[in-house]
Amino acid sequence: METMKIIDEWSVSRGIRKFWFDNDQEHEFGVIGLSMGKKYTSTHSNKVTRDEIAVLILCAGNKCLMLHLNLFGTIPDCLASFLDRPDITFVGVGIENNLVKLKRDCGLECCNAIELSKLVAAVKQTPYLIGCGLPILARACEVELGDSPFTDDCSDSATFAAYSSFLIGKDLLTLF
């Protein structure tokens, strides 16, 4: 697994190129797993806590792109264009809520995204899977996730979520 960490807006274009356009094997499927890491802030009175998108994680094949959006001065147009490509389907657990927060915090939109639990429920014709997490969805799809190749910190678990979403999404979307 190759994870590229992008910590400034000037490296985004090169990172996207290396992640997607130099990744011919997975590029043909047009599926990318998407996950996010959040940071939490509270008011001075500590009564209101707000979560903000800190890291956007994209995975396809054996490559992951970890974009530390909270460190960017501005959001590059190339990232907005990449997320808005109609030929790429982004999949993930909780992606609908994550995309609302991505628009709120960064002004970014994704034109072609699928909530993974809804996709699995539709393909497997099992509506009770809507809202389920990755382990249950993987079992329903007979996708072996194995042990996480990552460590236990939050960014690695979010990366594993994006990677797992890619595996399940690719298997299901290639049926069509």
Side-chain angles (χ1 to χ4, degrees), residues 13-112:
S13 179
R14 184 180 34 160
I16 289 172
R17 189 171 46 255
K18 186 174 179 187
F19 165 72
W20 188 247
F21 297 103
D22 295 345
N23 196 3
D24 292 336
Q25 181 182 10
E26 300 306 335
H27 181 267
E28 67 188 65
F29 298 114
V31 177
I32 294 177
L34 184 148
S35 184
M36 296 181 191
K38 300 173 183 117
K39 70 176 183 175
Y40 295 90
T41 56
S42 56
T43 63
H44 64 281
S45 64
N46 289 328
K47 294 193 180 203
V48 178
T49 302
R50 174 178 146 99
D51 63 328
E52 297 174 355
I53 302 300
V55 181
L56 172 64
I57 302 163
L58 308 172
C59 288
N62 66 348
K63 292 187 180 184
C64 291
L65 187 62
M66 184 179 290
L67 299 141
H68 290 266
L69 301 176
N70 62 321
L71 301 177
F72 293 7
T74 59
I75 301 297
D77 290 339
C78 65
L79 178 57
S81 296
F82 185 71
L83 292 175
D84 208 30
R85 290 178 57 129
D87 61 327
I88 298 174
T89 302
F90 295 91
V91 294
V93 172
I95 199 169
E96 293 169 343
N97 290 331
N98 284 337
L99 292 177
V100 167
K101 292 174 183 172
L102 191 62
K103 181 173 172 70
R104 177 196 72 195
D105 296 347
C106 305
L108 291 170
E109 295 186 83
C110 190
C111 77
N112 195 13

Side-chain angles (χ1 to χ4, degrees), residues 106-125:
C106 305
L108 291 170
E109 295 186 83
C110 190
C111 77
N112 195 13
I114 298 176
E115 172 62 44
L116 195 60
S117 67
K118 290 180 180 179
L119 175 64
V120 174
V123 171
K124 297 294 181 179
Q125 298 179 349

Side-chain angles (χ1 to χ4, degrees), residues 128-144:
Y128 68 86
L129 291 172
I130 293 173
C132 287
L134 281 169
I136 293 170
L137 297 175
R139 245 189 325 260
C141 295
E142 300 177 9
V143 172
E144 181 60 47

